[in-house]
Amino acid sequence: MPCVTNFYNEGGGGGADTRVDWMLETDVFTAPTFAYPSTEVNVNSSGTIAPIILSGSEPFTAWAVSSGTLPAEFSFDTATGVITYTTTAATGTGTFFVTASNPAGTSAAYQVDWEIRASQGIHEFTNTLNPYPFLRLSTSNTVNTDYYIKTTFHGRTTSTGNGTLIADATKPIYVKDNGDGTWNYLLFPTGYSYWVVFIGSSTDPSTLTDGLATDINTSLTYDLVSPIAEDVVFDGISYPSDRSDVHWSTGFQYLHFGNDASLDNVLTKAGNHSFGFTLVDPWPKDGMGRGLFSREGRNWMAVAIGHSATYSEMILGNGASKTYVSTETSTLPANGFPAGAVVRVTVSGTALNFYVDGTLYYSYSMSSHWDSTSANSLDLHFSNPVNRDVHNTSYSYDNTGWQGQIERLWIANGTVVLGGDDDGVTYPTGSTHAWHLDEEDGDVFYPAIGSVIAYGRKLTV
């Protein structure tokens, strides 16, 4: 039976970040298990898609397309499992299967569902098409460097003791392949007050459907994870949010602005500046460390709003070092920040300040954690923090890309905007660059102020 953990993204997963160490170490020699991030690629694009090693003793060898056919636009490296693609204007879909080997054996066949399609505008590049695609857990019986991937089947078990699955579109299921013919499942049991992770199920995720997963129950080792009372809801789907156990990552899409001279000193400590945007989707208290602007490879910042103030902070760094501030200057709203809220960040000297709707929530001196003019030669990005990482033992440093649609993104280079937030019609006084971000398709975002065009990009290996 093929193993279909099926990291199916609908444009939201993206390629893996070269700065993230996905390789999981093990002291037990076990057969390979792996997954591919999204094999949905855009027309008229090129890049690579590398497998994510989930478990098993490395190195993996004899990578092979075991059945199915690669599209003409794809090539496959049998030494590494890396897929390289160069697409034209033609679209298409299909399926093929991949295996890998090591001395302990050959992996199950991983099903790769590929699609070549047109870019989907701001929804794609703010990672909203497949929200909350994967996570790691830190509970008593889990390994906090293991990644759990969202399955296409959504459902819940009928109880903790029975374990029979029933479909429920509002309850996602996350799975981790153990590489020994068993899987771990994070899901919601009906009638229970917690999400639960079950360890060592024999149910193959490729068979998930009503009634087939009868062994996902308390006969297995299990941990309580996150109270359902703390769930966040996105597009009608509930997700666990207790950041003491659940550490989210989002897709790998981002906005690329380049390093035009008009952007000099933005996201550096070399000069005063401000930037901001308006939320189209709410920013819930899910604990996800959302990445904002960054200078490629160096300066970056992210903000995590957790289920309580204890699990909330502003995180920043310069590629070599990072830090966080968890003391809020104002109490965070009980339900996070709603759609329509206006985010503003100011840099005044070395003071980095984070506001929403005019209220200051975080303030920190980034003098030793951001570079000065040396960062001006680096490309400016949004949603690509340099140290994006949910592979930490300290939740305070969890950070990833941005998730949630935004609009009316602006930069005021040389100005500390202390009031007069964007009112939806007029950008703040002093704005030198702005983008409406209202493009619903494609990957080009044209300026409303200034001449810098933003391009949607996807991180690849």
Side-chain angles (χ1 to χ4, degrees), residues 23 66 154 228 276 294 410 443:
M23 303 305 182
S66 58
H154 283 38
I228 61 170
S294 64
W410 57 269
D443 58 4

Side-chain angles (χ1 to χ4, degrees), residues 122 405-408 435-441 445:
I122 193 58
Q405 188 181 348
I406 62 173
E407 64 182 2
R408 298 185 64 83
W435 302 263
H436 292 329
L437 300 184
D438 55 3
E439 289 86 349
E440 296 288 330
D441 53 31
F445 303 90

Side-chain angles (χ1 to χ4, degrees), residues 275-279 292 341-343 382 402 406-410:
F275 66 84
F277 51 87
T278 299
L279 300 178
L292 281 70
V342 179
V343 175
F382 185 90
W402 177 268
I406 62 173
E407 64 182 2
R408 298 185 64 83
L409 177 66
W410 57 269

Side-chain angles (χ1 to χ4, degrees), residues 281-295:
D281 290 325
W283 186 342
K285 299 178 76 171
D286 53 16
M288 179 183 287
R290 284 167 168 78
L292 281 70
F293 272 116
S294 64
R295 285 286 184 171

